[in-house]
Amino acid sequence: SINNGINLSGEGGLTWIKSRTSAYSHALYDTVRGNTKHLYSNQPWGEQTFTTGMTSFNNNGFSIGTHTDVNNSSQDFSSWTFRKAKGFFDVVTWTGDGTNRDISHSLGCVPGMIMVKCTSHSADWLVYHRSLDSGTATNIKYLVLNSSVAAPQSYSFWQNTLPTATSFRVDSGVELNDTGKTYVAYVFAGGESPAAT
C-alpha cells in the first residue's frame, strides 16, 4: 500500500506511476475506469486489464501488486496522484457517436490542459494546452502525448472551439469520438478560480 494522504476511494482521481531506474512504460490508472484498467501514456495502445497492477484505490492512497510497470523489486518508482476536485482536476469518460460534439466536465472553470485517449482501440493521445492556442477559436494546436513531434495545427480535432467552464469540443475521428469506441479525458484546471455554485 502506498500512503500519499489522498482519498482516492472517496473522491476519485488519477494515479500515474513510472520507474525512475528503468525504461519501463508509464502506467496510468483512474477511479472512473477502475483499478485494473491500465493505460500507457507513451504508447497509442488501448487500455490493458491487469489484476497485478493497481489493486485498489484507498482512502489514503492506493495499493499495487507485482506488475513490472509498478512494482519491480529491483527498481525505484515515482507516482503522481491527482484527486478529482472542482477548480483542479476531473476525469471524464464517454462512448463515441461519430459526431462533432461537446463533452461535459465538472471543473467549474476553463481547462488549462486536456489529455484524451481512446481506451478501446489503439490511437494517439491528443492533448490540448492553453499555451498552444492563440486565444481565439482558430489555429488551435495540439500535442501527441505518445510522440515527440512538434505541436501541429489542427482545424478539426477541437472543432475550432476553445474549452469552456462546462465542456470541451471534439471531432468525430478515432482519436476523440469514433462510433462505438470508448474514451477517457484527464482535464486539468489552468489557474482560474471555479465558478460559484
Side-chain angles (χ1 to χ4, degrees):
S1 294
I2 308 300
N3 184 341
N4 60 17
I6 298 175
N7 184 2
L8 285 167
S9 61
E11 302 292 344
L14 162 71
T15 293
W16 187 325
I17 302 173
K18 178 68 179 76
S19 170
R20 299 190 309 147
T21 50
S22 171
Y24 297 154
S25 291
H26 297 247
L28 280 70
Y29 300 89
D30 66 73
T31 58
V32 177
R33 293 179 304 116
N35 63 278
T36 63
K37 303 302 182 184
H38 180 118
L39 281 173
Y40 296 100
S41 66
N42 55 307
Q43 300 290 345
W45 309 328
E47 70 183 12
Q48 311 292 309
T49 300
F50 297 133
T51 57
T52 58
M54 179 78 68
T55 57
S56 68
F57 293 107
N58 306 327
N59 63 7
N60 61 355
F62 57 92
S63 296
I64 53 176
T66 58
H67 194 281
T68 300
D69 288 334
V70 301
N71 192 23
N72 188 311
S73 62
S74 62
Q75 304 295 327
D76 292 332
F77 290 85
S78 289
S79 69
W80 302 266
T81 295
F82 303 89
R83 184 175 72 80
K84 290 178 67 174
K86 194 169 184 178
F88 178 62
F89 178 71
D90 196 16
V91 180
V92 180
T93 59
W94 67 96
T95 299
D97 63 8
T99 68
N100 302 328
R101 65 189 273 203
D102 291 321
I103 305 296
S104 297
H105 65 78
S106 300
L107 279 186
C109 61
V110 177
M113 182 173 73
I114 305 167
M115 302 177 358
V116 180
K117 179 69 183 80
C118 178
T119 55
S120 58
H121 293 74
S122 183
D124 285 332
W125 287 78
L126 292 190
V127 180
Y128 163 84
H129 195 281
R130 66 178 182 174
S131 67
L132 298 175
D133 70 53
S134 61
T136 66
T138 59
N139 299 326
I140 303 174
K141 297 181 180 181
Y142 65 95
L143 293 169
V144 178
L145 188 62
N146 53 285
S147 172
S148 60
V149 298
Q153 290 181 347
S154 171
Y155 298 96
S156 60
F157 284 135
W158 314 118
Q159 285 295 292
N160 290 339
T161 304
L162 296 173
T164 72
T166 58
S167 67
F168 57 95
R169 189 83 171 161
V170 297
D171 78 351
S172 59
V174 64
E175 296 88 353
L176 297 174
N177 195 39
D178 197 14
T179 301
K181 293 179 173 58
T182 57
Y183 298 85
V184 65
Y186 300 129
V187 187
F188 297 81
E192 176 187 332
S193 297
T197 55

